[in-house]
Every structure is written in structure tokens, then in C-alpha cells.
Amino acid sequence: MLRRPSPARAPAAWLLLVGLLCGGGVWASRVNKHKPWLEPTYHGIITENDNTVLLDPPLIAMDKDAPMHFAGEICGFKIHGQNVPFDAVVVDKTTGEGLIRSKEKLDCELQKDYTFTIQAYDCGKGPDGTGVKKSHKATVHIQVNDVNEYAPVFKEKSYKATVVEGKQYNSILRVEAVDADCSLQFSQICSYEVVTPDVPFTVDKDGYIKNTEKLNYGKEHQYKLTVTAYDCGKKRATEDVLVKISVKPTCTPGWQGWNNRIEYEPGTGTLSLFPNVHLETCDEPVASVQATVELETSHIGKGCDRDTYSEKSLHRLCGAASGTAELLPSPSSSLNWTAGLPTDNGHDSDQVFEFNGTQAVRIPDGVVSVNPKEPFMISVWMRHGPFGRKKETVLCSSDKTDMNRHHYSLYVHGCRLIFLLRQDPSEEKKYKPAEFHWKLNQVCDEEWHHYVLNVEFPSVTLYLDGVSHEPFSVMEDYPLHPSKIETQLVVGACWQGGDLHMTEFFRGNLAGLTVRSGKLADKKVIDCLYTCKEGLDLQVPKDSGKGMKIQANPSQSMLTLEGEDIGELDKAMQHISYLNSRQFPTPGIRRLKITSTVKCFSEAPCISIPPVDGYVMVLQPEEPKISLSGVHHFARAASEFESSEGVFLFPELRIISTITREVEPERDDDEDPTVQESLVSEEIVHDLDTCEVTVEGEELNQEQESLEVDMTRLQQKGIEMNSSDLGVVFTGVDTMASYEEALHLLRYRNWHTRSLFDRRFKLVCSELNGRYVSNEFKVEVNVIHTASPVEHASHLAAQPQFVHPEHRSFVDLSGHNLASPHPFAVVPSTATVVIVVCVSFLVFMIILGVFRIRAAHQRTMRDQDAGKESEMDWDDSALTITVNPMETYEDQHSSEEEEEEEEEESEEGEEDDDITSAESESSEEEEGGHGDQAGASRQQQLEWDDSTLSY
């Protein structure tokens, strides 16, 4: 079906409808079209006492919706940030002006500035505040301005300084004040002022005080002045400060508080050398100080105080193996080849031998047994100077005859030490190392040095003062040609066997020259041989010595200290001490010297510290008195001398050592001051190094007598024994008790005692190579020959066997010990006296009984003669009797001699153990019978008439 088209609208109606629709939409969109706008950055200032911030630029928010109500107005500001002590308020909504205020009191000293962001927002679309728009975030920087509320305050309650008189200082000390205000203006100290009037001091704006004139110690010792301070706000310090400036006399840089003489008592350990020393720099600027303390000991022994035992004993003490041969021993009865060399002639130091270029000693054959093919060692102390360019031989082994070949030698040539070692002929006939050269300043510096050569072909190592040195040059040579010529070992020169004279003499001093098979590989032994027994010691406490550098030389004779802190240097110097570990140190002076070097800052002139000279006086040690005691005289049967054990010479030997000390008596102040010190003897313990037993009279005949010791027991003690025709010598450092035991073992044997009646021996012990010597202990041993009863009927006939033929009088054995079956069973002298008294009393009783028997016999004979006379009565009136008076006189004297012989025989009977009391009694009876007959004849001779005689 067909529709009818709708009627078309008029054009005016369409335009009206479009206009209404478009106009209504535009009005609605223009209500709040724009955001508020702020400056991107604001800077503000606020004073501590105010709460309003002055901003630049001012806080104004603009909105393009203005002048529309609400949409074009600013309703507020919002601050973003943590703990921001500010808020922002709107002053005028229409203009958008705002204000930032502090919410609390600000303190510049706590916080000087603040930074935060702020945002503005408009009033929205209407009164209900909907459709609010915010601006972007602007940054706000606010600085808190300071108020001069604090006064300056000094850092110290008072100040002190010391100045030297007569000097103008640019600055003596500095006073310093601070201000608690936060601003540069009010916190800065702008000036100082000396408040005390009429003082010669002034202070500058930085607080440095100086003197306005030269100060005089005699005028004023100390100044007291008051100083105040002002900040830049002209505010004065609430409290002024007191400054004390002391004036001292003119200062001289150097070490102060030390003594020139320091006494060291032996046996007291360490001694502090500078307990009160300090370095005076006179307040001069010093960057660092180096101080060197030197102990001069070159004049003591071999460079310092060491044990003066023999070099052989020192090797043993230091742990070296046995077998050391000493080529320069102290002269003795058994080691006498050094007797002709000049020495230091002193026992306080080592045995030092001097060689003047014309002397040398030959070493006896057998003293040294060294095979150059095997390792061996040479050790020596040497002092040598720059005497020239000639060769000077220390030790040389060369051909004894025919040729001049040197097998091995040690010599110096200028300042070089050279060791020559020529190899014996071998299958390999080619060049081998032969000369080893060392170039050393110590060889010719005229100081003592210790040399140890370890020879282990083809290498040779030198230890000089404990430090190893390799040869700088080694020369080769062809081996020696084969020969059967013996060698000669010489010290101080070299023997020319072809020319038969000495050559290449040494000039200098030698000591302790030893040769030993096997090298000395242990470095500890070498260090022990060289180490001094005295030196400087430094024990710094833990709380001291900070920043100090301390160095010491190997001999401990020099200490070097370096540091920046003068106070720490003083503390370290105060702990330097002297130590001598010897029991009996060498007395005398050890010089001390302190030299100092000062370093200053940059190019500033440095002060000069003068050297310090002093000395340590090592006092004389208490000299020990070594005493030997025991049995001086005893007798033994001849069979004991001939036995395998022999006779022990010193069975009861006792060795002690004592020193005598002076003890001050205890007295009050009121007592007599003239009371003298008393002497007290104290027993001490120390070592011995030698005991020598010598025979007095004829030398030992090795074919029939000897002195023997159980060597196994002796070697356990580390003591060696050397024997000769003159006696024996015990050597080795050991205790007195060990030497006692060793001497108890000494036996005397004689397997031909028929003509021996006595033997005398002398014992002397010493310490420190003869420095301290004991008394001479002498022992006399008598040989008792036992009488044979078959050959001799009485003791009178046996007398010549035990009485020495040269002695006409009786043998006096009073106080001596008689034979005992045990070698140590010696009867004391008191018991001997008792035995003699008892025997004498017994003999006296026997003689008394004999005389009583003789008297009774005489009475019987007289009775019998009277009976005979009565029976045989005859006339003698014509008889004339002539008597010779001289015969009577001779008979009378002969009877007196017989009585004297009887007394002598009776005394000899008391002394002879082998004659019993029964034998004595029988002999007295025989003598009594003869005596009666002689008495009767005398009585008959005396009964004659001498009235007619004329003389």
C-alpha cells in the first residue's frame, strides 16, 4: 500500500532546536575549567623569635576561572612533608594571596632551614565544594634566622704555658672560645682581649697570646692574666678565662736527669741506667728524634765480658761435640808450648796472646788430627789492624823437611781473610778449589772478632761474629805431589821445611784457637760462643713505647730508639738497663754514650742535642776463697800400693768456696757512730774448670808407678784428664761436687815398693782459667813394709825395712792414720793419739814389772854371795888390788848408751803395729837379764879402797 510522505519541517525550527542544545552545553562546561597556579619555587626567611615567614616571591595562587564565583577563587593551601612545623593560610580568596606561619617556636641551633612542598586548591563548582581543582606542587625553602642569644664560652677553664726568659715569641699559647649561636655572625668569635692591665702580653683576634717584651726570670717567675672573648654580635663571654705563663731560665736543648757515674754491683741482675732522664727541646718544633745508646766494652776481654774458661770448655758448655783441640791453651805443666808468648798477664779476662811479627809457636805432634779430606772446623778470636800488604799467617800446616809446601793455612792479606786447602794426590789429577777469599772490613779494624770456618770440601763457610759469609772469590790449584814428608803445624807463622825457617809472621792478637774434626753445623753453638755476657737491655711496658722504633746490634752493646713523641721516647730511655749475667764479672769501667739526631718539619732549622758521656763502674766482685781440706798424711801397706786398685789419694777431700762480706751493724742514731763494720763469711756455690795434681820430689816413673782414674765414671761427669810424668790435670767446667767425686776416684799405684818409703802429692784447683786459685793441699803417703818372722827374731832386726835409711832417729807417725784393710778406712788423728797413749802406758807397766823382777833377783844374789863369803873365808891382807879408773868411766858411759837404746827401742815398739805386746815383753826380759849382770859388775867394780890413790 502506498504511504503518504510526512510533511517536511520548516528550516527555522531546525535552527532553533540546534541553538538551544549547543548553548546549554557550553555554559555547563565553563563552571570550573582551570586549575590554580603557583610559582614553582619559593624562598622564605623566618626569625627565631617570629612566626611569620617572609617569602620571595609572595605566596599568591592564580586561577584562570576568575572572576567566576567559586571556580575562580582560592579556598586553601596544603603543605606536604613530614614533621613540617609550618602551615599556610589564605589571606584573600579572590586574589589568591596566602601566608606561611610557624606552628611552634623555632630554634636555629636545632635546625637552620626547612624544605617542603605546597599546593593550592580552588573553591570548586559551588558552595558545596564539589569539583575542586588543585594546583601543581611548588617547593618552599625556609631559612631560620639566628638571634644572638648565646655568649662566647672558653673551651678550657684555664690555660698554662712556660716560656724561656730573654726570648720574643710570636705565639706562646692560644686561647679559644666558642659560641652556641647558629649563624655565622653570632657564632663566630670576632675578637679577644686581655683584661688584666699592665702585663707584657697581648692577644690577637684568633686567640694567640704573645709577649710584648722579653721576659726576665729574675723579675717575675709567673704571670697571671685574664682574657675575654667577643662574638661578632659584640656579645662578651659570660666568664673570662685565667692564663698562667711561667718563666724559666734560659733553656739549653739536651738530655737532663742522668748521672755521669753508675755503679753496678755484681750479682744484682739488671740495673736501670737512666731512671730520671728526659729530653729538653726548649719548646722547639721537632718532628722526630733518634737516640742511640752505646756501651763501650772493647777494652774488656775479647770485645766484652764473656766467660773466661778455656776455649775447649766453652765449646763443651755451648753444646759442641767432643774432640776439640786447643792450640793456644793457658801454659801449664802438660801444655807448655805457649809459655814463651806474651800475654795480657791478667786473670780477669781471657788468655790473650800477642804476636808482634817475630814470634810463632810450633804445635806438638799428636795435638791435632785432621784429615783434609773430611770435614773439620777452625775457630779463633782475632784482633788485627791495617799493618800492610804482606801475608800474615794465623795457622799453617806445611812440610816439616825438604820442601816448602803448605797443606792448609789460614792467613790475612790486608783486609782479606784467606783459607788455603791443598788436596792430597788422588786419582783425579785436575784443578780443584784451593784458595777461598773473603774481603771484610772487620779483618783490619783493630777490634776483636770471632771467626768460625766450616771446611767441607769443596765448600768452606765462614761465620764472622755469628753471621755467615760466603767467599767472594775461589781460586783453584793442582793437587799436591805424593810424598812421605811429615807436616808441621805452626801458629803465628808458617814453617818452610826446605829452608828450615819461619816466614809470614802474624801481627796482632789471637785467642781461643781451636781445630776440631767435623764441622760445627749448629748455629746455636756458634752464637753461644760469640754472645756477650753483658750488654744493654730494654723492657718497655705495654702501655709505653707507642710509635717507637727500637733496634739493637747482635752484641747488645748498642740500642737505637726513634719516635715522634718526645714523652714516649723519654719513657723508653728510662727503661734501658745494664745487665751482666756472669757470677764473677770483670771489674772496671764500661763507657756509655748517648747521641741524638733531631728531624724538624719541612725546612725549619733544627735544634742540636749535645752527646752525653758517662760510664758504668762494675765493682770488684767478692773474691771467692776456694778451700781444699782432708787427710794430709796416712800410711798404707805395701801390698795395697801393688794391688790393682792402688791407694786412693784423696778419700776424704772436701772442696768449699766462701766469700767475705762487710755487714753494717744495726745501731740507733744515739749509739756510737765509730762502730766498725763486721765481716761475715758465707759459703757459695760455683763451678771449677781445673784441678791439677802434681808429684813432689822425683817425677813419676811410668815403668813402676802411675796415677789412675776410672775413666768411665769420669767421662759421665764431662771432666777430662791429662797425665804426664809431673802428675795429672783434670779439666772441664763442672760443679765443685763433681770435682770432689772425680778426685775421690784418683788412685796411686806402685808395683815396685821395695825401695819406696813415702810419696808426696800437691793438689790445686782453680776457676775461670786461673782467675781464682785454691790453697795448696798436700798429701804424704807412707809405705808400710810388713816384717818377716823367719828372717828377724825381734823388731830391732826388722827396723831397717820400714825406717828410711837416711833417718837416724825414729819415724814419727804421730797424728797419722795406720794401715787399714779398706782403702777408705782411715783412722782419725784423735784416735791415733789415744792408741799411742795406751801403748805407752802398757810398755811402761812392762818396764816397771821388769825392774821389780830385777830388784828381787839382785836381793837373792846378794844373799847367796853372803853365804859363800862365810863359807870361803880366806886371808887377803897381803893382796894389793889396782883398778884402772878409765875403764870404770867407759863402762859407766856404755851402760848409759844401752839405757838410751832401750828407750829408743821402747818408743819404736810403740809406733810399730806389727810387734805384739808379747814380743815386746820378751825382749824387755832379755834386756833386763843383761842389765842385771852389768849392774852386778858395776857394783863389784865400785867396791874398792881408793884411799891410797893419788890423782
Side-chain angles (χ1 to χ4, degrees):
M1 79 184 281
L2 296 171
R3 290 186 182 183
R4 195 174 59 182
S6 59
R9 294 181 182 179
W14 285 102
L15 291 172
L16 178 60
L17 180 59
V18 171
L20 288 174
L21 293 174
C22 294
V26 170
W27 179 83
S29 62
R30 287 178 60 116
V31 173
N32 194 2
K33 183 180 179 181
H34 300 93
K35 295 179 181 181
W37 180 87
L38 292 174
E39 295 288 342
T41 303
Y42 294 91
H43 294 275
I45 297 175
I46 184 172
T47 306
E48 284 182 316
N49 298 333
D50 199 357
N51 62 349
T52 302
V53 178
L54 300 177
L55 289 176
D56 181 25
L59 181 61
I60 298 176
M62 294 181 295
D63 196 326
K64 290 184 178 182
D65 292 328
M68 290 182 64
H69 191 52
F70 297 110
E73 296 177 340
I74 303 300
C75 278
F77 296 94
K78 184 177 182 180
I79 293 177
H80 299 276
Q82 294 182 355
N83 301 324
V84 178
F86 297 96
D87 60 1
V89 296
V90 178
V91 178
D92 189 342
K93 292 183 178 181
T94 304
T95 62
E97 182 180 358
L99 180 67
I100 297 178
R101 300 176 303 181
S102 62
K103 296 187 294 184
E104 58 190 34
K105 186 178 180 180
L106 302 179
D107 191 347
C108 176
E109 285 72 33
L110 296 178
Q111 188 167 347
K112 295 182 178 181
D113 50 38
Y114 297 89
T115 300
F116 53 88
T117 59
I118 190 171
Q119 207 173 24
Y121 56 90
D122 57 16
C123 296
K125 295 180 180 181
D128 56 356
T130 60
V132 175
K133 288 186 178 292
K134 297 180 180 180
S135 69
H136 64 277
K137 292 179 180 180
T139 302
V140 180
H141 301 283
I142 298 177
Q143 179 181 350
V144 182
N145 278 354
D146 186 24
V147 176
N148 195 5
E149 55 186 326
Y150 295 100
V153 177
F154 285 95
K155 289 185 176 182
E156 305 289 341
K157 293 182 179 180
S158 63
Y159 291 88
K160 295 180 181 180
T162 303
V163 297
V164 180
E165 64 174 347
K167 187 175 181 181
Q168 192 76 35
Y169 288 88
N170 292 326
S171 174
I172 297 175
L173 78 160
R174 184 189 182 189
V175 295
E176 188 175 2
V178 295
D179 196 310
D181 290 315
C182 68
S183 66
L184 182 63
Q185 178 184 4
F186 298 134
S187 65
Q188 186 175 359
I189 307 300
C190 281
S191 64
Y192 294 89
E193 181 182 352
V194 177
V195 180
T196 305
D198 301 329
V199 290
F201 299 96
T202 184
V203 59
D204 62 12
K205 63 186 179 80
D206 295 323
Y208 291 100
I209 298 175
K210 65 179 181 179
N211 55 324
T212 57
E213 62 183 41
K214 293 181 179 181
L215 305 178
N216 190 337
Y217 177 79
K219 180 180 179 181
E220 192 71 39
H221 291 0
Q222 188 182 66
Y223 291 90
K224 295 180 181 180
L225 53 145
T226 304
V227 177
T228 190
Y230 295 91
D231 62 16
C232 292
K234 300 298 182 180
K235 195 164 189 175
R236 180 175 174 174
T238 54
E239 291 184 5
D240 299 335
V241 70
L242 176 64
V243 179
K244 296 179 181 179
I245 299 177
S246 300
V247 182
K248 67 178 183 180
T250 304
C251 177
T252 302
W255 292 100
Q256 298 181 0
W258 55 275
N259 295 325
N260 181 49
R261 174 188 171 99
I262 305 166
E263 292 187 353
Y264 177 79
E265 184 176 353
T268 56
T270 58
L271 173 65
S272 180
L273 297 177
F274 318 109
N276 302 313
V277 74
H278 69 276
L279 180 61
E280 177 61 63
T281 60
C282 299
D283 300 327
E284 293 289 341
V286 173
S288 65
V289 178
Q290 183 185 77
T292 301
V293 183
E294 185 176 0
L295 181 71
E296 176 61 41
T297 60
S298 60
H299 61 290
I300 302 296
K302 300 189 292 289
C304 66
D305 210 0
R306 295 182 176 89
D307 285 329
T308 56
Y309 297 118
S310 67
E311 197 69 17
K312 189 174 182 179
S313 298
L314 289 176
H315 277 248
R316 188 182 300 112
L317 286 176
C318 290
S322 60
T324 300
E326 195 168 5
L327 304 188
L328 292 176
S330 299
S332 63
S333 58
S334 57
L335 308 174
N336 57 3
W337 61 83
T338 58
L341 288 176
T343 66
D344 58 357
N345 295 322
H347 292 302
D348 288 343
S349 60
D350 293 325
Q351 188 73 65
V352 175
F353 295 93
E354 180 181 356
F355 294 83
N356 58 10
T358 61
Q359 300 150 318
V361 290
R362 299 189 187 191
I363 307 302
D365 295 338
V367 174
V368 177
S369 57
V370 170
N371 185 358
K373 294 182 180 180
E374 298 178 357
F376 66 97
M377 178 273 299
I378 300 175
S379 174
V380 66
W381 285 92
M382 182 174 68
R383 179 169 62 185
H384 180 260
F387 297 125
R389 297 184 176 274
K390 294 183 179 180
K391 290 183 179 180
E392 301 176 42
T393 302
V394 176
L395 177 67
C396 179
S397 175
S398 59
D399 289 331
K400 183 176 289 187
T401 58
D402 298 336
M403 291 188 286
N404 298 329
R405 299 179 307 172
H406 297 179
H407 293 256
Y408 67 88
S409 66
L410 179 65
Y411 62 94
V412 295
H413 192 185
C415 290
R416 295 188 181 187
L417 182 72
I418 303 171
F419 178 68
L420 170 68
L421 179 61
R422 298 289 300 277
Q423 290 297 305
D424 290 335
S426 62
E427 297 180 358
E428 299 179 355
K429 295 183 178 181
K430 62 180 182 179
Y431 283 96
K432 296 182 179 181
E435 284 191 6
F436 302 83
H437 295 245
W438 292 269
K439 190 174 182 181
L440 305 165
N441 294 328
Q442 292 90 334
V443 174
C444 54
D445 62 358
E446 293 190 279
E447 299 290 340
W448 279 107
H449 296 287
H450 184 237
Y451 301 83
V452 174
L453 276 171
N454 271 334
V455 182
E456 191 175 13
F457 192 81
S459 66
V460 178
T461 304
L462 170 67
Y463 290 91
L464 173 60
D465 295 338
V467 180
S468 63
H469 295 266
E470 295 296 330
F472 82 96
S473 174
V474 178
M475 300 179 64
E476 295 183 344
D477 201 349
Y478 201 73
L480 294 173
H481 297 289
S483 68
K484 296 182 180 180
I485 303 175
E486 295 182 354
T487 59
Q488 175 66 60
L489 188 61
V490 176
V491 175
C494 201
W495 173 252
Q496 299 293 93
D499 302 331
L500 300 179
H501 69 85
M502 296 286 186
T503 184
E504 299 176 2
F505 287 94
F506 178 78
R507 288 183 293 174
N509 297 98
L510 297 176
L513 177 58
T514 59
V515 177
R516 171 180 169 278
S517 296
K519 68 176 183 178
L520 198 61
D522 194 348
K523 182 66 165 54
K524 293 182 179 179
V525 176
I526 298 174
D527 292 339
C528 174
L529 293 173
Y530 171 72
T531 302
C532 294
K533 294 293 184 178
E534 66 176 341
L536 299 175
D537 187 37
L538 177 57
Q539 298 293 334
V540 181
K542 294 182 179 179
D543 57 345
S544 301
K546 296 179 180 179
M548 296 293 301
K549 296 180 182 178
I550 301 173
Q551 294 180 347
N553 65 339
S555 62
Q556 292 293 316
S557 62
M558 183 183 298
L559 285 175
T560 301
L561 295 81
E562 184 175 1
E564 299 177 357
D565 192 332
I566 302 299
E568 293 296 329
L569 178 65
D570 290 344
K571 291 180 182 179
M573 290 287 292
Q574 292 169 6
H575 285 87
I576 295 178
S577 57
Y578 170 78
L579 173 64
N580 196 316
S581 59
R582 294 189 65 192
Q583 187 176 9
F584 305 108
T586 304
I589 291 176
R590 276 77 163 163
R591 299 199 176 277
L592 277 172
K593 189 173 184 179
I594 304 177
T595 55
S596 306
T597 304
V598 178
K599 295 181 180 179
C600 294
F601 298 98
S602 64
E603 300 297 329
C606 286
I607 59 175
S608 177
I609 306 297
V612 173
D613 291 317
Y615 63 93
V616 177
M617 173 58 75
V618 178
L619 302 179
Q620 179 74 37
E622 300 289 346
E623 185 170 343
K625 181 181 179 182
I626 305 172
S627 301
L628 309 179
S629 60
V631 177
H632 288 272
H633 202 163
F634 60 88
R636 293 285 184 272
S639 59
E640 294 188 26
F641 289 92
E642 296 176 353
S643 65
S644 60
E645 287 293 326
V647 174
F648 292 89
L649 290 181
F650 309 104
E652 295 185 1
L653 178 67
R654 180 86 170 91
I655 305 177
I656 62 171
S657 182
T658 57
I659 59 173
T660 303
R661 298 182 183 273
E662 294 183 354
V663 179
E664 295 184 359
E666 297 181 358
R667 60 171 185 266
D668 300 332
D669 296 337
D670 298 336
E671 295 185 7
D672 187 4
T674 60
V675 177
Q676 296 182 352
E677 298 178 343
S678 59
L679 300 178
V680 177
S681 180
E682 299 179 2
E683 184 173 345
I684 62 171
V685 177
H686 58 79
D687 293 333
L688 297 176
D689 62 354
T690 303
C691 278
E692 185 173 4
V693 180
T694 55
V695 60
E696 293 192 328
E698 297 180 358
E699 296 182 358
L700 291 174
N701 184 355
Q702 302 293 343
E703 296 181 357
Q704 67 180 22
E705 58 183 342
S706 66
L707 291 172
E708 300 176 357
V709 171
D710 187 351
M711 297 303 297
T712 303
R713 298 177 61 182
L714 192 66
Q715 290 174 356
Q716 293 176 354
K717 302 179 181 300
I719 300 176
E720 296 183 357
M721 186 189 79
N722 296 317
S723 59
S724 66
D725 294 343
L726 301 177
V728 295
V729 180
F730 295 88
T731 58
V733 181
D734 213 326
T735 62
M736 293 185 291
S738 295
Y739 267 92
E740 273 187 11
E741 296 177 14
L743 290 168
H744 286 168
L745 301 175
L746 183 63
R747 309 185 308 269
Y748 171 65
R749 290 186 59 208
N750 192 313
W751 44 93
H752 294 289
T753 58
R754 183 176 300 275
S755 60
L756 179 66
F757 297 95
D758 55 29
R759 241 342 187 168
R760 294 178 178 85
F761 300 91
K762 179 178 69 175
L763 170 64
V764 177
C765 294
S766 63
E767 162 69 341
L768 294 174
N769 208 17
R771 180 176 176 183
Y772 300 117
V773 183
S774 71
N775 61 305
E776 292 185 353
F777 180 73
K778 296 184 178 181
V779 172
E780 181 177 347
V781 183
N782 292 107
V783 182
I784 299 176
H785 296 273
T786 305
S788 175
V790 177
E791 298 178 0
H792 308 288
S794 68
H795 68 285
L796 293 177
Q799 179 180 358
Q801 286 212 9
F802 62 91
V803 178
H804 200 286
E806 295 180 0
H807 296 176
R808 296 182 180 180
S809 62
F810 60 89
V811 179
D812 185 8
L813 296 179
S814 60
H816 302 163
N817 293 329
L818 303 179
S820 174
H822 194 279
F824 294 138
V826 181
V827 182
S829 59
T830 304
T832 305
V833 174
V834 173
I835 293 172
V836 172
V837 172
C838 292
V839 173
S840 302
F841 180 76
L842 179 61
V843 173
F844 172 76
M845 295 300 296
I846 293 172
I847 294 174
L848 181 61
V850 170
F851 274 106
R852 293 186 63 182
I853 293 172
R854 187 176 63 178
H857 181 66
Q858 288 178 355
R859 285 196 299 271
T860 304
M861 293 297 294
R862 284 199 297 269
D863 293 341
Q864 293 177 358
D865 291 341
K868 291 179 180 179
E869 288 176 0
S870 62
E871 293 176 355
M872 300 176 64
D873 200 359
W874 58 289
D875 186 13
D876 57 355
S877 59
L879 184 61
T880 300
I881 301 174
T882 303
V883 179
N884 187 356
M886 295 303 295
E887 291 180 358
T888 306
Y889 179 78
E890 291 175 356
D891 294 339
Q892 195 171 3
H893 278 274
S894 64
S895 64
E896 292 176 0
E897 291 177 358
E898 290 177 359
E899 291 177 359
E900 290 178 359
E901 291 178 0
E902 289 174 1
E903 293 175 2
E904 292 177 0
E905 292 168 0
S906 64
E907 291 174 353
E908 291 170 357
E910 293 171 9
E911 296 167 354
D912 193 352
D913 255 0
D914 298 331
I915 302 176
T916 62
S917 59
E919 292 174 340
S920 299
E921 186 174 356
S922 63
S923 62
E924 292 293 342
E925 289 176 355
E926 292 174 2
E927 293 173 8
H930 293 297
D932 291 342
Q933 294 175 5
S937 64
R938 285 198 297 271
Q939 186 176 4
Q940 293 174 3
Q941 290 172 0
L942 292 174
E943 293 177 356
W944 59 287
D945 185 11
D946 57 355
S947 59
T948 61
L949 293 175
S950 59
Y951 295 93

